[in-house]
Amino acid sequence: MSYVLEIKNVTKKFGDFTAVKSVSFNVEDGGFFSILGGSGCGKTTLLRMISGFENVTEGELLIRGESMEGIPPERRPVNIVFQNLALFPMMNVEKNVAFGLQRQKLPKNEVNSRVTEMLERVGLIGFEKKKVTELSGGQRQRVAIARSLVLRPSILLLDEPLGALDRKLREHMKIELKVLQREIGTTFIYITHDQSEALVMSDYVAVMNEGQFEQIDTPKNLYKNPATSFVAGFVGESNEFNITSYADGELTTDNGCKLVKPGLDYQPKKLFIRPEAFILDSPETLPDVALINTRIKNILFDGANTKLSVVVKESADEMLISLPQNAKFDNLHDGDDLQVGIHQDDLKCYQN
Amino acid sequence: MKKRSGTFYLLMVPVLLWLGLLIVIPHLDMVYRSFRFETDDWEMVFSLNNYLTFFQDQIYWLTFVKTALYSIGVTFLAFVVTFPVAFYLTKVVGKKYSSFMTLLLLIPIWIGELVTVYGWMILLRDNGVINTFLMNIGIIKEPIEMLFTNFSMTIGLLYMSMLFMIVPMMSALDSLDDSLIEAASDLGASKWTIFRKIIIPYTTPGIVSGGIIVFMLVIGDYVAPNILGGKSSLWFTEQIYNKFLMSFNWNEGAAFGFLLLGLSSGIVWVALKLSGQKLEKVGS
């Protein structure tokens, strides 16, 4: 397998502050790779190093096997879609898309045919002469992507380009971007703080925290088997517990649950359980399922995302349980007692 | 249309008085005078003779052409000199220093044109600062004649008008998002291309609006051409001044004044057409 991008122990320092701490990863050609992290985690700095706007303090950055050291942004085979899109307001759609091709001094008819081909691909035929200020948010998005893709870069970098869109359009663009990436086959590296964007679109997601990668994995694995407590808490929703004691495969949490989790070869400190992992009204006969007695404090109605806020008996700490919206559970009320089950594989324990 | 209240009209009074008394009425009087002509029989008649003088007597329109060309030149120089400064202040230094430095730029305006012009005389005259310095370090033997030439006049005009170029240009550059420059660079543009294709087109409204102010100030200036230009540098405003105060021919002076207004407006109009700008857009 050839790697389009190889990052080897890359570190970036701004004065005393280390924004990116010795990060290493490889991106396969033709994939959709996301870097997910909260604001200030260093993901934008990493992106700017790949595009060439920031120097690498230490380490090595290779694109298609070639070192990018000392190569300025205009000569790198990567293009970037900026967070605010950065379309040129004094040019129309066509000129925006043609800008990069004209810089390569290509013959005029080739420029025109490639621009038309790209506009067709993103569905902007008929908008060639429109000013970019007259377009809707989604159309502007597509111009920005077309402007970069028309140069046929090895990698397309996207810096949270969906952030400014409203919710409906964002959901739509997510799917559109994924489809576009599949069709064109260009490697996309997508920076975002929105986990749903990362999970829906990506082949691989890297979760970044304080300048380091916590885990690089497929979206499904990231969700099912978080490698660290940060990932478990950051990706998806989770109930977090502190573990007070662990012995002989039995653990006790600070809110008094006694649960069985055999085979840990370390002393766990933190326990994460996803809201949807709880089995409501669990039959007592299921294997490897521990039962917890709870009382319902609140029903937080949110359509398909409706949650129960419950307290474990004899404790004040609340935890969230997903409540499927079907006839079976329609008669639950605040204050009801509820027995829930949890399979031992859904108990995610961490050392710190 | 909304019905206006009495307060609205009351508040309009100062504006209308100002426009009427100080601008409209004197101008109407001047228009009237510019068409009055004294015949050989000392009779006042309506005539176009005052305007014809301008075209018939070579010295007048040659002076005007020179004034116009120099004004265009000074405007261009003002752009060349101030653009790097404006770029530096808005894009290179941080916000903190930029406002302080802009303040420093404004100081010459507080002093007034006359004083700064005399300041330039001290620098440029034969035994002035520049000549003395150059002779002391041995680059020249004889002082270079700089004062009372077109050179010294150009410097004076440039110095007094430069700031009016910088301010609109800075506000245009300020609104230019840095990511546009980065995007252009990412798409393969060299520094020169970014300047030519992104920065200049983006700031054109600011450049044109600054250019109009500078051009109008320079073409209508009297102090710098008169004091720094000396006898050899004729400026059209001096011709108008001479008509009014030397030959006491107010009628011809008024006609020349309107010719200056008309011709300079014409040049501004051509400049707007050439740069593809609209006056409303530039004015805002």
Side-chain angles (χ1 to χ4, degrees):
Chain A
M1 194 74 205
S2 70
Y3 293 120
V4 67
L5 176 70
E6 291 164 75
I7 304 258
K8 294 176 181 167
N9 301 316
V10 162
T11 297
K12 176 70 191 177
K13 287 182 182 155
F14 295 105
D16 289 339
F17 176 69
T18 310
V20 175
K21 288 174 204 155
S22 191
V23 163
S24 298
F25 67 102
N26 299 320
V27 178
E28 285 172 6
D29 205 357
F32 198 125
F33 188 93
S34 288
I35 299 172
L36 173 66
S39 55
C41 73
K43 57 188 193 300
T44 300
T45 308
L46 190 56
L47 186 90
R48 289 176 66 82
M49 284 194 285
I50 301 171
S51 58
F53 291 115
E54 301 285 355
N55 293 321
V56 173
T57 313
E58 278 166 39
E60 217 183 346
L61 199 155
L62 299 107
I63 296 174
R64 291 209 185 283
E66 276 177 54
S67 171
M68 284 294 122
E69 198 180 321
I71 297 183
E74 64 264 30
R75 300 222 319 272
R76 291 194 183 195
V78 296
N79 287 109
I80 182 166
V81 175
F82 286 84
Q83 193 163 14
N84 62 358
L85 304 183
L87 298 178
F88 304 130
M90 54 281 177
M91 299 180 196
N92 61 24
V93 170
E94 192 179 47
K95 284 187 178 147
N96 262 285
V97 179
F99 186 85
L101 293 173
Q102 284 165 347
R103 303 285 77 77
Q104 298 178 357
K105 308 255 184 309
L106 294 175
K108 210 170 174 193
N109 51 359
E110 198 191 331
V111 171
N112 288 341
S113 69
R114 273 173 72 173
V115 168
T116 311
E117 184 197 354
M118 188 44 73
L119 288 178
E120 202 174 277
R121 185 151 251 169
V122 297
L124 281 175
I125 290 293
F127 291 91
E128 292 90 339
K129 304 289 178 204
K130 283 241 178 176
K131 282 188 174 175
V132 290
T133 44
E134 294 166 355
L135 300 178
S136 71
Q139 289 165 338
R140 289 163 56 82
Q141 200 86 52
R142 284 185 236 157
V143 176
I145 292 164
R147 184 177 73 174
S148 293
L149 279 182
V150 78
L151 298 176
R152 297 174 186 159
S154 293
I155 305 170
L156 182 71
L157 305 167
L158 300 107
D159 185 8
E160 302 201 34
L162 304 186
L165 302 181
D166 63 65
R167 204 185 137 89
K168 261 258 160 63
L169 189 56
R170 197 158 62 218
E171 295 299 319
H172 176 74
M173 285 304 293
K174 259 191 234 171
I175 298 160
E176 201 171 296
L177 264 180
K178 191 180 168 81
V179 171
L180 185 73
Q181 194 271 333
R182 282 279 151 76
E183 277 176 18
I184 294 178
T186 305
T187 311
F188 278 30
I189 295 183
Y190 191 95
I191 299 282
T192 184
H193 67 272
D194 183 315
Q195 47 172 298
S196 147
E197 284 175 16
L199 296 180
V200 169
M201 292 191 284
S202 319
D203 297 321
Y204 281 93
V205 179
V207 179
M208 201 170 180
N209 180 35
E210 291 180 347
Q212 281 172 314
F213 278 179
E214 296 268 340
Q215 186 176 4
I216 307 174
D217 221 323
T218 60
K220 192 175 168 185
N221 270 338
L222 211 58
Y223 190 83
K224 290 264 181 193
N225 302 307
T228 65
S229 59
F230 176 81
V231 178
F234 190 73
V235 178
E237 273 184 277
S238 264
N239 294 298
E240 184 180 342
F241 305 94
N242 290 317
I243 295 172
T244 48
S245 72
Y246 179 74
D248 304 328
E250 189 168 302
L251 56 83
T252 314
T253 63
D254 55 357
N255 63 347
C257 295
K258 286 201 190 308
L259 299 163
V260 180
K261 179 76 179 173
L264 296 183
D265 53 3
Y266 53 85
Q267 192 62 42
K269 288 268 161 52
K270 286 242 155 68
L271 170 68
F272 288 85
I273 306 175
R274 298 229 181 261
E276 71 272 18
F278 290 101
I279 306 162
L280 287 183
D281 217 2
S282 171
E284 305 199 359
T285 51
L286 283 178
D288 298 336
V289 169
L291 295 174
I292 308 170
N293 288 316
T294 65
R295 172 169 289 140
I296 300 171
K297 286 276 279 193
N298 243 322
I299 299 175
L300 310 168
F301 184 78
D302 183 16
N305 291 320
T306 300
K307 302 261 175 350
L308 290 173
S309 171
V310 304
V311 286
V312 178
K313 287 259 177 87
E314 288 100 40
S315 149
D317 295 338
E318 294 182 23
M319 61 182 192
L320 293 175
I321 297 175
S322 288
L323 180 66
Q325 289 300 296
N326 56 38
K328 188 178 176 191
F329 302 112
D330 262 359
N331 54 356
L332 288 179
H333 297 288
D334 295 359
D336 288 356
D337 285 340
L338 184 70
Q339 193 174 53
V340 296
I342 182 79
H343 192 276
Q344 62 186 28
D345 285 353
D346 289 325
L347 304 173
K348 305 293 176 196
C349 298
Y350 301 95
Q351 260 178 305
N352 45 41
Chain B
M1 192 76 181
K2 215 182 103 192
K3 209 168 178 305
R4 303 288 189 190
S5 66
T7 323
F8 174 78
Y9 291 106
L10 192 71
L11 289 170
M12 285 286 280
V13 167
V15 180
L16 293 175
L17 279 180
W18 185 68
L19 283 173
L21 292 178
L22 296 173
I23 297 175
V24 177
I25 294 174
H27 274 76
L28 285 178
D29 180 61
M30 280 294 154
V31 173
Y32 173 75
R33 276 173 193 280
S34 72
F35 289 107
R36 299 290 281 170
F37 183 72
E38 204 173 43
T39 61
D40 293 343
D41 312 327
W42 297 335
E43 215 180 317
M44 275 294 184
V45 291
F46 274 100
S47 135
L48 284 173
N49 274 11
N50 295 326
Y51 288 92
L52 284 176
T53 318
F54 173 80
F55 296 100
Q56 281 159 351
D57 205 336
Q58 184 158 287
I59 182 80
Y60 296 133
W61 62 263
L62 278 181
T63 310
F64 184 83
V65 168
K66 184 204 154 179
T67 307
L69 287 179
Y70 264 82
S71 302
I72 293 169
V74 169
T75 308
F76 180 72
L77 275 178
F79 165 69
V80 172
V81 172
T82 57
F83 187 85
V85 181
F87 191 83
Y88 179 80
L89 286 178
T90 46
K91 295 287 165 205
V92 183
V93 293
K95 273 265 180 295
K96 199 168 73 182
Y97 297 105
S98 125
S99 47
F100 173 68
M101 287 176 163
T102 314
L103 192 71
L104 288 182
L105 279 177
L106 289 173
I107 288 176
I109 288 216
W110 301 349
I111 297 169
E113 193 189 354
L114 203 58
V115 178
T116 51
V117 159
Y118 278 110
W120 278 107
M121 289 180 82
I122 294 170
L123 289 173
L124 296 174
R125 67 184 174 207
D126 283 1
N127 57 352
V129 176
I130 293 174
N131 271 321
T132 312
F133 175 73
L134 289 178
M135 283 197 292
N136 281 350
I137 62 169
I139 290 180
I140 51 168
K141 294 249 161 15
E142 295 285 303
I144 306 168
E145 196 185 327
M146 287 183 285
L147 199 55
F148 308 130
T149 62
N150 287 329
F151 170 74
S152 56
M153 179 187 76
T154 306
I155 285 206
L157 288 170
L158 188 59
Y159 189 70
M160 77 84 196
S161 62
M162 236 162 32
L163 274 176
F164 297 93
M165 190 79 178
I166 239 179
V167 174
M169 214 147 59
M170 274 178 70
S171 73
L173 278 170
D174 218 21
S175 70
L176 171 69
D177 195 331
D178 290 355
S179 68
L180 287 188
I181 296 173
E182 287 191 340
S185 162
D186 182 64
L187 293 168
S190 63
K191 294 221 160 49
W192 170 241
T193 312
I194 294 173
F195 176 73
R196 218 163 32 98
K197 295 273 182 187
I198 308 294
I199 298 176
I200 290 293
Y202 190 90
T203 47
T204 300
I207 296 168
V208 173
S209 100
I212 291 175
I213 301 171
V214 168
F215 177 77
M216 285 305 204
L217 276 176
V218 167
I219 206 168
D221 191 38
Y222 180 75
V223 177
N226 193 40
I227 298 176
L228 287 173
K231 286 282 169 283
S232 63
S233 309
L234 274 176
W235 204 249
F236 198 67
T237 47
E238 289 174 303
Q239 305 277 23
I240 299 174
Y241 176 88
N242 289 344
K243 287 288 169 211
F244 276 100
L245 295 170
M246 297 295 178
S247 48
F248 296 104
N249 191 343
W250 280 47
N251 299 338
E252 226 168 74
F256 277 32
F258 281 105
L259 279 167
L260 179 65
L261 177 66
L263 290 168
S264 51
S265 305
I267 293 171
V268 168
W269 182 81
V270 170
L272 282 172
K273 283 288 149 208
L274 285 181
S275 64
Q277 297 294 314
K278 295 218 162 48
L279 192 58
E280 310 89 83
K281 201 177 154 198
V282 167
S284 62

